Amino acid sequence: MAYDYDDQNIFARILRGEIPNSTVAENDYALAFRDISPKAPTHVLVIPKGRYVSFDDFAANASPEEITGFMRLCAQVAQAEGVSLDGGAGFRAITNAGPDGVQEVPHFHLHIMGGRMMGPMVMLRD
Ligand code: 5GP
């Protein structure tokens, strides 16, 4: 399956070091950094280092090592931010995909948000 990856998207530029970011954690396969416009006391974005447009692209095409590296970094972030159920009060992890998902940046990212009660799962607006 072919996904059309834009090498000029803002997260590709962050990965290349062209734009600064507030890094929380990193491994060989993924980078975690603070959202520039946080919607909760903890709002961290976890992105793969590979060129994946969206969750479905990553899920279909990433290697087992990339998927494991990404997921382990998510767990590390939740723990480090104090929102993991292993000692914390929980969090919300969401990913938006494509136009209907209202994805702003076309490089797969998971939002990890917590540090407060996150409210209803989805509030639709027209
Ligand atoms: P999306 O709508 O694609 O799921 O979320 C994109 C997220 O990226 C938004 O929450 C937005 O605040 C964040 N964002 C956009 N540009 C930048 C940036 O240059 N740096 C950081 N750290 N976050 C960004």
Side-chain angles (χ1 to χ4, degrees), residues 46-101:
V46 186
I47 68 173
K49 291 186 174 178
R51 299 166 75 256
Y52 299 101
V53 173
S54 57
F55 174 80
D56 51 321
D57 185 13
F58 185 71
N61 297 311
S63 68
E65 291 79 13
E66 288 176 299
I67 293 171
T68 301
F70 179 86
M71 296 300 280
R72 291 286 193 264
L73 196 69
C74 292
Q76 193 182 319
V77 166
Q79 188 65 245
E81 293 291 308
V83 298
S84 164
L85 291 195
D86 182 14
F91 58 93
R92 179 160 296 153
I94 63 165
T95 183
N96 301 314
D100 278 4

Side-chain angles (χ1 to χ4, degrees), residues 34-45 111-114 118:
R34 299 203 185 280
D35 196 292
I36 203 167
S37 178
K39 308 294 188 296
T42 287
H43 189 166
V44 175
L45 303 172
H111 298 254
I112 296 180
M113 294 180 285
M118 293 306 299

